[in-house]
Amino acid sequence: MPLDLSRFFKACNPAKTLDMSVPEDQKYYIDFAPVRGGKIIEELKRTIARISPDDPTCQLFTGHIGCGKSTELLRLKSELEAENFHVVYFESSQDLDMADVDVSDILLAITHQVSENLEKSDVKLKPGYFTNLFTEVADFLQTPIEFGGEAELSVGIAKLTAKTQDNPKLRKQLRQYLEPRAESILKAINEEVLNKARQQFIERKGKRGLVVIVDNLDRVDNRAMPSGRTQPEYLFVDRGAQLRRLDCHVVYTIPLALLFSDEYESLKNRLGGGVAPKVLPMIPVTDRQGGEFNQGMELLRQAILARAFPDIPSAERSQAIAEVFDAPETLDRLCQVSGGHPRTLLGLLYRCLQQEDPPFNRTSLEHAVKDYRDDLILSIDDNEWELLLQVAQGQGMKGEDSYQALLRSMLIYEYRDGDGRWFGLNPALQETERFRQWQASQLDNS
């Protein structure tokens, strides 16, 4: 079967999130669970559908930016809907300024997205508290906001958000008004929105329950606040107990760096209810000893070939490699240098597409790799190099802020295997002169 270039271009967009409710996207999906150390989405689903279908649960999900969390969460949505749950999935970055977030902002964003979804599902809400709150807010801000007497709740929140989104001063004033009322807002969300929805879905539509999946909260900025706490520590630890009290099943994405914070146990207890966050690690391309990990490499090959030939059975796709790459070794080079990071894998492939039509030759790929590597090392200072080399030597990581910065910059990747967690340098860094000099010195000293 010849390569459909237009279809291939669209499928290789690294910004594209696969939605398992879309038949075309299902063809591109590769299940990496066998090499990621556990069936994470199955565990999230089982907690809701099997262990506690009738009582609200709050689960935490994390991983590197671009490692495939959104794709997996949309898979969770699809599978829970197949189990007869009503699921509201949304990207919180649509409603929030990730550099400046407070708990009241998150609660309003959840209320907005859930109420909009429910209204589209013909669930009638009577938000008495919020109607009064909007009137009071308009008076407090001394800014005309036309909510309308019979306006839907989602419309009211959208208008309020739009008014303050591009005005930091107004947003600060709104927050000063809402924060002391966070408990009342939380109570109103439960009573006027979530409980109403649960009643109507269970009683009228025969659903098993309501699930809210809040994606992209892992992107909140790591800035220090006046209190000395980082924004993630403040939101998910100090205020975690409030975020946990929504009267429905909730899945939150949280920043990966929190797992290495001194506040990890507090996070687990306050927001996670004593249960550790689920981590989506990279797909390993090597084992702990540095040898090629064949199972991970084969799944990454399939991730590329499925986008090129979605209608060909997976067992037959390798026969068509010559349509996409000049040699199988070029495909392997792409998979290896990605480190098993899905967005990097697609990003490098997309860079090749920008240079030429397939089949891609090794020169084009190496040009893309060089650009990627040069961009990575641009911001690494001497102290960070020392930390990186310590990770390379010991495959472990400490919890200090400096290590967390390396994680956020995707200079270090986390993997899981039968022996547990281990860390490796981004493979592109292993091809730098600095790393090679260090490797040579290690051999000289051994």
Side-chain angles (χ1 to χ4, degrees), residues 101-307:
V101 183
D102 215 321
V103 167
S104 59
D105 303 324
I106 296 175
L107 293 176
L108 274 187
I110 292 172
T111 307
H112 173 218
Q113 295 288 342
V114 172
S115 60
E116 183 176 62
N117 180 282
L118 299 181
E119 288 155 3
K120 289 178 181 176
S121 300
D122 200 31
V123 174
K124 303 300 182 184
L125 301 175
K126 295 181 179 178
Y129 175 87
F130 286 102
T131 301
N132 294 332
L133 180 68
F134 293 156
T135 302
E136 294 170 4
V137 164
D139 291 341
F140 175 76
L141 296 179
Q142 297 183 331
T143 301
I145 306 175
E146 295 297 328
F147 295 115
E150 298 299 322
E152 293 176 328
L153 176 56
S154 62
V155 175
I157 297 175
K159 287 184 177 180
L160 187 61
T161 303
K163 203 75 175 179
T164 60
Q165 197 164 32
D166 299 321
N167 189 328
K169 182 180 178 181
L170 206 60
R171 188 165 66 238
K172 183 178 180 181
Q173 290 177 321
L174 175 64
R175 188 173 291 158
Q176 288 173 342
Y177 185 83
L178 294 180
E179 274 304 306
R181 295 163 174 78
E183 282 293 324
S184 300
I185 293 171
L186 182 59
K187 182 179 178 182
I189 293 172
N190 284 332
E191 292 180 356
E192 297 185 357
V193 180
L194 299 179
N195 285 342
K196 183 74 171 177
R198 288 175 69 193
Q199 289 171 9
Q200 293 205 37
F201 279 128
I202 292 171
E203 293 173 8
R204 287 177 43 197
K205 302 190 177 183
K207 297 289 183 181
R208 295 179 64 191
L210 173 66
V211 182
V212 178
I213 300 175
V214 189
D215 200 359
N216 288 0
L217 271 182
D218 55 312
R219 299 183 184 184
V220 296
D221 196 83
N222 200 52
R223 68 180 176 87
M225 303 186 70
S227 63
R229 307 282 274 170
T230 65
Q231 185 172 234
E233 286 172 341
Y234 166 71
L235 290 173
F236 303 112
V237 179
D238 298 349
R239 306 293 296 276
Q242 285 181 313
L243 291 177
R244 180 175 172 77
R245 282 168 40 210
L246 292 173
D247 199 6
C248 65
H249 298 289
V250 188
V251 178
Y252 290 114
T253 53
I254 63 169
L256 180 62
L258 282 174
L259 271 64
F260 304 92
S261 165
D262 292 340
E263 299 289 349
Y264 174 66
E265 286 299 322
S266 296
L267 166 77
K268 188 169 75 172
N269 289 316
R270 293 182 190 176
L271 184 55
V275 179
K278 300 288 188 296
V279 181
L280 190 68
M282 296 298 133
I283 300 104
V285 294
T286 63
D287 57 26
R288 287 176 183 257
Q289 290 72 41
E292 183 172 297
F293 185 68
N294 293 325
Q295 191 179 4
M297 285 288 289
E298 178 54 29
L299 288 173
L300 289 170
R301 292 183 196 109
Q302 286 295 327
I304 297 298
L305 295 175
R307 283 168 165 76

Side-chain angles (χ1 to χ4, degrees), residues 324-327 330 352 356-366:
V324 189
F325 297 95
D326 62 352
T330 303
C352 292
E356 63 180 8
D357 285 353
F360 307 120
N361 61 54
R362 185 64 174 261
T363 302
S364 296
L365 176 59
E366 293 302 336

Side-chain angles (χ1 to χ4, degrees), residues 16-21 25 28-36 38-45 61-64 66-80 87 89 91 213 215 251 253 278-281 283 299 307 342-343:
K16 176 180 173 60
T17 298
L18 298 183
D19 185 344
M20 297 302 286
S21 67
D25 285 3
Y28 302 136
Y29 179 79
I30 302 295
D31 185 4
F32 294 114
V35 298
R36 276 181 152 163
K39 297 182 178 180
I40 297 163
I41 294 305
E42 283 82 351
E43 292 175 12
L44 292 171
K45 182 179 76 171
F61 187 47
T62 189
H64 283 284
C67 72
K69 293 187 300 300
S70 295
T71 292
E72 293 299 322
L73 288 174
L74 284 168
R75 176 185 156 202
L76 174 64
K77 175 180 183 290
S78 180
E79 292 187 4
L80 283 172
V87 184
Y89 165 91
E91 297 176 346
I213 300 175
D215 200 359
V251 178
T253 53
K278 300 288 188 296
V279 181
L280 190 68
I283 300 104
L299 288 173
R307 283 168 165 76
R343 188 172 293 170

Side-chain angles (χ1 to χ4, degrees), residues 426-438:
N426 185 317
L429 296 180
Q430 299 175 26
E431 300 177 3
T432 61
E433 187 62 29
R434 180 75 174 259
F435 184 82
R436 285 173 174 156
Q437 289 176 356
W438 172 80

Side-chain angles (χ1 to χ4, degrees), residues 283-406:
I283 300 104
V285 294
T286 63
D287 57 26
R288 287 176 183 257
Q289 290 72 41
E292 183 172 297
F293 185 68
N294 293 325
Q295 191 179 4
M297 285 288 289
E298 178 54 29
L299 288 173
L300 289 170
R301 292 183 196 109
Q302 286 295 327
I304 297 298
L305 295 175
R307 283 168 165 76
F309 308 107
D311 299 320
I312 295 180
S314 58
E316 300 174 17
R317 288 173 186 153
S318 60
Q319 300 171 21
I321 288 177
E323 293 275 338
V324 189
F325 297 95
D326 62 352
E329 291 78 13
T330 303
L331 171 58
D332 284 358
R333 167 66 169 155
L334 171 62
C335 296
Q336 185 276 329
V337 79
S338 75
H341 184 269
R343 188 172 293 170
T344 298
L345 181 76
L346 290 175
L348 290 169
L349 181 63
Y350 201 75
R351 182 74 182 88
C352 292
L353 282 167
Q354 291 179 316
Q355 297 177 67
E356 63 180 8
D357 285 353
F360 307 120
N361 61 54
R362 185 64 174 261
T363 302
S364 296
L365 176 59
E366 293 302 336
H367 184 72
V369 170
K370 180 181 179 297
D371 287 346
Y372 170 59
R373 182 171 60 243
D374 289 349
D375 288 344
L376 270 181
I377 63 177
L378 204 59
S379 62
I380 306 175
D381 60 30
D382 287 340
N383 289 334
E384 288 173 328
W385 265 115
E386 289 303 315
L387 293 172
L388 287 168
L389 297 177
Q390 288 174 28
V391 173
Q393 188 168 27
Q395 294 182 338
M397 232 185 66
K398 300 175 183 177
E400 285 93 338
D401 291 344
S402 48
Y403 282 96
Q404 295 180 27
L406 300 181

